[in-house]
Amino acid sequence: MTSSTFSFFKAASRWSKNHKFFLTSFGVLAGGGSSIIYALEQSIHASNDAAHVAKQKWNHNGWFDTLDHASVRRGWEVYKNVCAACHSVEYLAYRELVGVCLTENEAKAEAAEQMIEDGPDETGAMFKRPGKLSDLIPKPYPNEEAARYANNGAYPPDLTYITQARIDGENYIFSLLTGYMDPPAGVVLAENQHFNPYFPGGAIGMAQALYDEIIEYEDGTPATQSQCAKDVVTFLKWCAEPEHDTRKLFAMKAFTILGVLNLVVWYLHRHYWSVMKTRKIFQSPKSLFKK
Amino acid sequence: MSIVNVLYKTVLKRPSRFFVVVAVTSLFFERTVDIGIESLYDRINRGKQWKDISSKYE
């Protein structure tokens, strides 16, 4: 049996013109589309004057690695004691911290320390009451104008989804928090601006927030600047992707089940083709694909 | 008689048996995969999840 007698498999030679045209255009469009997306993505990096951020070895980087919840807990301490003075995490509620980095009682106690505006009561007035688990984390400023006014016109963005909202989120924020330096000669900063090579443009409205020993960790971890930055970024990563751990567990299950299904498909494939591959006589149906 | 033939005769040939076998094996398959994967996942991530450290704070 030569390959020419096997003409049944040279399917493309029997396709109609339209069929070929359709497949060719589809290929060209798909290939062209991906090249354009790739090219655009590259130019974003090239046009940025910011320093390239280092890739850190986050211990949740692997396909099946959960977040380090001790680090999330320390990160919450850092957020609460440092970042919360300027940045909100306005989509996060106290109850969501339970079972992630706080016990229920701890979360209740922390919520109760905050006075939350509620109401109206029966006289129509708003009143303050201690926070409950269902309350959102209070914001440092009531609105964007107040935030800008307090920060010389710069707006401290909400941090809930910040790791998703920046290219290379975790690495970028880590570099940003630890990357402050004196401006190089020739760079002129406006008043209340600070130099950070990782921030596009270099002049950032946020002063360096993290220093060694800026807080004391309750678990005794030495609170160096990079430790605080790592922990707060891990916390923000959880904040932006609270489903992170479950997602990876499900990935593992999905791969396992798909692996088993793959075996079934492989067997079926052999089964169906065994008829074809063991036969001695071949027909060559001319009219199979063409009218 | 190959294993496939046995399988065919005992299980696949009659839809009534086939459906019972599908229901029962999927039950056990699901539990096995769930328990197996979860314990593997907990082993890979030992010490990192909240349930590993929560006892320190309660």
Side-chain angles (χ1 to χ4, degrees), chain A residues 262-275 277:
Chain A
N262 233 352
L263 288 180
V264 175
V265 170
W266 173 78
Y267 180 80
L268 271 185
H269 169 86
R270 302 267 305 191
H271 182 71
Y272 290 149
W273 277 86
S274 62
V275 179
K277 289 189 171 172

Side-chain angles (χ1 to χ4, degrees), chain A residues 59 64-67 69-70 73 99-101 245 252-253 256 267, chain B residues 4 29 33-34 37-38 40-41 44-45 48-50 53 57-58:
Chain A
N59 54 14
F64 306 128
D65 287 336
T66 63
L67 292 166
H69 284 251
R73 187 180 166 99
V100 172
C101 61
D245 293 358
M252 246 170 120
K253 287 183 186 173
T256 312
Y267 180 80
Chain B
V4 177
F29 179 72
V33 170
D34 273 2
I37 296 295
E38 269 159 34
L40 180 65
Y41 182 76
I44 296 177
N45 294 299
K48 285 165 74 186
Q49 300 183 80
W50 175 248
I53 57 172
Y57 307 109
E58 256 147 9

